[in-house]
Amino acid sequence: HAGHMLGYAQKYLKSLERAEEITQEIWMKVIKLSPSYNGQGHFTAWVYTLIRNQCLNTLRSEKRLVHISDSELSGDIPDSHSFENEILEQKDVERVKKAIENLPDTQRVALLLYAVEGLSYEDIANELNTSVSAIKSLIFRARIKLAGSR
């Protein structure tokens, strides 16, 4: 799982070094939280959820630091039009994230492995110990649910 975890984190963070740090932190969390893992859902789904949340938290904290330092250094008042667009884009991103989070574990993991990781149906089927046709069905149903949540 380590290579896939690193690639998944790297796609979020756009940096190999930061992705390696996050992956290391997640392995430590997996070890620490393993007694509380109840076996519901796939292990892979649980780990990818941990990675995604850690990456998003890291990006959020970095974005806050950048915004604070930029505004403090420049002393400029942000353009209201660009500020409004940024807020609207953030709302769209949050809506999509929430819709993805509301998918059943198997659909969410299959969709993320396909869309974010770029894995083939065969690779996903091997990773999740299921058939290619089951993966195609999971991804199809996930897309239908996401399209219905617009």
Side-chain angles (χ1 to χ4, degrees):
H1 297 290
H4 291 294
M5 289 174 61
L6 180 61
Y8 187 64
Q10 189 174 0
K11 286 189 183 200
Y12 270 100
L13 301 172
K14 308 289 189 242
S15 164
L16 180 60
E17 293 89 19
R18 291 181 357 189
E20 288 172 340
E21 290 173 16
I22 295 294
T23 305
Q24 179 95 22
E25 290 174 21
I26 294 303
W27 277 118
M28 298 306 291
K29 273 188 179 181
V30 166
I31 291 168
K32 183 178 177 181
L33 297 174
S34 63
S36 66
Y37 177 67
N38 60 9
Q40 278 187 315
H42 291 283
F43 171 76
T44 309
W46 180 61
V47 171
Y48 277 95
T49 300
L50 292 174
I51 295 169
R52 183 191 70 238
N53 291 342
Q54 187 70 33
C55 288
L56 293 175
N57 288 339
T58 300
L59 291 171
R60 281 185 198 117
S61 67
E62 288 174 359
K63 191 171 185 178
R64 281 189 202 124
L65 292 175
V66 169
H67 281 291
I68 291 169
S69 62
D70 285 349
S71 63
E72 287 175 352
L73 292 174
S74 67
D76 295 335
I77 299 172
D79 177 26
S80 63
H81 181 68
S82 64
F83 182 69
E84 289 170 2
N85 286 340
E86 185 177 328
I87 289 174
L88 290 173
E89 287 173 11
Q90 287 174 354
K91 285 183 180 181
D92 286 342
V93 168
E94 289 301 318
R95 187 175 46 81
V96 170
K97 285 181 195 173
K98 196 168 272 195
I100 290 172
E101 287 174 6
N102 289 331
L103 290 172
D105 283 345
T106 53
Q107 289 179 10
R108 183 177 63 245
V109 170
L111 182 66
L112 291 175
L113 289 173
Y114 181 75
V116 176
E117 280 292 312
L119 296 181
S120 67
Y121 292 129
E122 293 80 14
D123 290 340
I124 298 169
N126 289 334
E127 186 72 30
L128 300 180
N129 297 322
T130 190
S131 68
V132 172
S133 61
I135 295 302
K136 288 180 180 180
S137 178
L138 287 171
I139 293 172
F140 176 79
R141 283 186 261 140
R143 287 178 171 167
I144 294 297
K145 283 187 180 181
L146 290 176
S149 66
R150 289 183 192 184

